[in-house]
Amino acid sequence: MLVGDANQRGVVQLLKTYRLVVLGATGVTGQNTFRHLAEHLPADFSWAIAGRNPDKMKKLVSDFPDRNSTPAYIPADIVDRDSVDALIKNCDVLIHLAGPYATHGELFFEKCIEHRTHYVDIGGETFFIKRMIEKYHQAASEKKVILLPTAGYESVPFDLLTLLAITHLEGAYQEHCEKIKIVTSFHRLGGVRDNRISGGSIGTMRNILAGDDCNAFNDMACLLPPKADNGRVRDRNKIRYAARYDEDVQAFTGPLQPAPFLNVPVVLRSAHLLSQAGIDYGANFSYSDSMTMEFYADSPEGQQRAAKRSARINRITSIALAGPRPLRGLIRRRLDSLGVEPGDGPSQESLPFVDYTLRLFGESDRGRSIRAQARAKGHPGYLSTSKIVAEVGLFLAEENTRPPVSFGVVTPATALGLEFLPRLERAGVKMEMCDY
Ligand SMILES: NC(=O)c1ccc[n+]([C@@H]2O[C@H](COP(=O)([O-])OP(=O)(O)OC[C@H]3O[C@@H](n4cnc5c(N)ncnc54)[C@H](OP(=O)(O)O)[C@@H]3O)[C@@H](O)[C@H]2O)c1
């Protein structure tokens, strides 16, 4: 795409070698992104996988015979400035899965703007995203480049389900939204069970503990530009890490796993950016999410205990991030003691044996209640995320008409909009408004 002038639609004029490149395809998440693309792309689609270990990349491809399309290989190391430059120069869209991102990620934002390459990742380090917005949002908007972090399970389904509900309220009733609550549930489907978290996800938490110097973890307005009413937005959307019985779903709920601090700022940024495109989330809009606990325990008592435990862990983390450094060090050491290394994670065989649902409960400023839901196939973190981000990359590689708010350091709802829903369905996530 983008070398030379982007035209009115932000479509790229000069052909680069690859329409799409996946960096980090050999990781826990990346493997399934590769497989989804290799299965679905036509044979003549020009794409590549990039990484630091050529033998591992070749093995990944040869171990997957059911492919329609075979990628090229690009040697790339995220710590090597020249290889990052060469990589980004040669693709229309980069899917960056070699996270966590805060340590070496800034170069990607800088180079994607320079070479006019759309960028997508699945990061959750809000302090880092905040910094990237402050430094690069304006330049990326002007150059019509899309820089989209948080494009996995967190936060694509949550952000888009919220957009769907808000658009419905406005379209069907001409009412604005006052409140959205989403309750998630993970479901076991029998078969192989494996609850382990990946080394990449642990790395994200370690990065937050080491690098969040602006308390973004606790600031739900952290991805908004400084504005007079951010204080009120903060108060309305403050996360209270607690276990509670939720009457709407008739179950105990606790904080969303694994990153309860991520969707809220993303959805609030969508609300801010989309208001510039005439989509009004409502003057007093608030968003919250939580999770039922049947994935962790069968009995109601066990679920209550699991919710309390999850709330406690998140409360301690929240206090640590707001407080003195030594407390953060304690949690980091606790994470280290788990012995989870980069590349570790749940077994690939276990990933299809988890599904998840999102149930949305909304209320308009005139007291109308609405409901929506998303049903999704596959482990949220390491299978659903992989497919979602693959489809996001393909969507960005298409020559779509895009509204101006799509460009810059943006969110799923702004970069993708409801036009993305058919592709989301191909990634296994189906959304709909519900009748009462
Ligand atoms: N938003 C969400 O819903 C969501 C869900 C899941 C994961 N995540 C995030 O996704 C990220 C990745 O997680 P993961 O579990 O897939 O991690 P992982 O298994 O550790 O994979 C990391 C990938 O990065 C590559 N890599 C590491 N260092 C590199 C370097 N110097 N140069 C080039 N490539 C390098 C690795 O290559 P090698 O194979 O050569 O080591 C591997 O392909 C994490 O930040 C995690 O938090 C987000």
Side-chain angles (χ1 to χ4, degrees):
M1 99 175 165
L2 300 171
V3 181
D5 273 344
N7 67 17
Q8 286 289 55
R9 299 180 300 156
V11 166
V12 191
Q13 294 300 294
L14 188 136
L15 289 180
K16 296 185 184 175
T17 312
Y18 302 108
R19 289 182 66 190
L20 184 66
V21 172
V22 182
L23 171 65
T26 51
V28 175
T29 316
Q31 291 175 40
N32 289 313
T33 300
F34 155 73
R35 290 195 186 105
H36 185 81
L37 290 168
E39 207 179 325
H40 288 96
L41 283 176
D44 60 352
F45 191 93
S46 58
W47 67 297
I49 56 174
R52 59 183 170 177
N53 186 333
D55 291 339
K56 216 166 160 182
M57 289 194 283
K58 282 179 193 151
K59 181 164 172 5
L60 176 73
V61 174
S62 63
D63 281 354
F64 187 62
D66 296 340
R67 55 185 194 273
N68 274 328
S69 169
T70 301
Y73 308 103
I74 304 177
D77 193 319
I78 60 174
V79 301
D80 174 355
R81 211 180 155 85
D82 290 341
S83 82
V84 170
D85 183 72
L87 173 70
I88 292 174
K89 206 179 201 160
N90 280 316
C91 61
D92 291 344
V93 177
L94 176 69
I95 299 179
H96 181 354
L97 303 179
Y101 299 92
T103 328
H104 302 292
E106 179 167 351
L107 182 61
F108 286 82
F109 284 74
E110 187 190 316
K111 289 291 169 188
C112 281
I113 294 172
E114 181 182 333
H115 298 304
R116 304 181 93 174
T117 295
H118 293 324
Y119 166 93
V120 48
D121 76 34
I122 53 174
E125 297 132 281
T126 45
F127 76 95
F128 172 69
I129 300 169
K130 173 183 167 67
R131 221 163 57 216
M132 295 304 96
I133 290 169
E134 286 162 4
K135 282 185 87 167
Y136 299 106
H137 177 69
Q138 188 62 33
S141 311
E142 285 165 9
K143 280 197 148 186
K144 290 193 163 59
V145 175
I146 297 170
L147 302 171
L148 175 57
T150 71
Y153 155 72
E154 280 147 335
S155 298
V156 173
F158 297 88
D159 203 20
L160 287 181
L161 193 62
T162 301
L163 177 63
L164 179 68
I166 279 166
T167 310
H168 178 77
L169 256 184
E170 172 70 36
Y173 308 109
Q174 294 76 53
E175 292 180 16
H176 288 131
C177 190
E178 185 90 11
K179 202 188 278 180
I180 294 281
K181 171 182 84 175
I182 296 180
V183 184
T184 306
S185 302
F186 296 175
H187 314 285
R188 291 184 187 285
L189 305 177
V192 192
R193 292 182 171 200
D194 190 345
N195 276 352
R196 280 176 295 169
I197 192 162
S198 81
S201 300
I202 294 278
T204 291
M205 209 50 229
R206 292 185 94 264
N207 268 4
I208 290 172
L209 287 161
D212 184 353
D213 48 11
C214 55
N215 201 16
F217 183 93
N218 287 310
D219 178 7
M220 294 306 108
C222 64
L223 304 185
L224 301 179
K227 275 200 313 188
D229 66 347
N230 277 359
R232 280 196 291 276
V233 174
R234 250 175 223 120
D235 289 346
R236 269 202 304 275
N237 293 282
K238 191 171 170 51
I239 302 186
R240 288 178 180 82
Y241 294 112
R244 60 172 67 90
Y245 188 79
D246 188 316
E247 291 291 345
D248 286 326
V249 296
Q250 305 268 302
F252 287 103
T253 59
L256 190 80
Q257 304 267 9
F261 53 87
L262 183 51
N263 292 327
V264 185
V266 170
V267 170
L268 294 177
R269 181 161 176 77
S270 293
H272 160 71
L273 291 172
L274 287 170
S275 68
Q276 296 160 30
I279 300 174
D280 191 349
Y281 275 45
N284 296 312
F285 172 72
S286 73
Y287 171 88
S288 64
D289 51 33
S290 64
M291 175 166 170
T292 60
M293 294 286 143
E294 66 263 49
F295 188 69
Y296 303 100
D298 292 331
S299 69
E301 296 75 26
Q303 291 169 14
Q304 187 177 21
R305 275 195 302 277
K308 281 184 174 169
R309 182 167 181 272
S310 167
R312 195 167 53 244
I313 291 170
N314 280 288
R315 261 198 317 271
I316 292 170
T317 310
S318 158
I319 292 165
L321 277 150
R325 289 226 158 230
L327 198 49
R328 297 190 191 195
L330 270 177
I331 300 178
R332 282 183 75 188
R333 282 195 289 285
R334 184 77 200 270
L335 285 178
D336 292 345
S337 74
L338 298 175
V340 184
E341 300 292 333
D344 289 348
S347 67
Q348 289 293 327
E349 298 72 45
S350 68
L351 301 180
F353 292 100
V354 186
D355 277 4
Y356 63 98
T357 51
L358 273 57
R359 281 173 283 179
L360 177 147
F361 302 88
E363 212 179 288
S364 80
D365 51 2
R366 289 194 222 146
R368 182 185 303 280
S369 297
I370 51 161
R371 286 188 183 188
Q373 71 169 11
R375 280 173 290 130
K377 294 194 179 106
H379 187 293
Y382 311 116
L383 185 54
S384 183
T385 286
S386 312
K387 294 181 181 188
I388 291 171
V389 76
E391 290 293 339
V392 170
L394 289 176
F395 184 79
L396 297 189
E398 284 170 354
E399 296 189 357
N400 285 317
T401 305
R402 301 185 202 279
V405 290
S406 315
F407 303 107
V409 184
V410 288
T411 60
T414 43
L416 310 171
L418 298 180
E419 295 75 20
F420 183 66
L421 294 192
R423 282 206 168 273
L424 192 57
E425 209 165 319
R426 205 165 79 161
V429 187
K430 187 170 166 38
M431 286 184 178
E432 61 200 353
M433 295 305 303
C434 305
D435 294 331
Y436 258 100

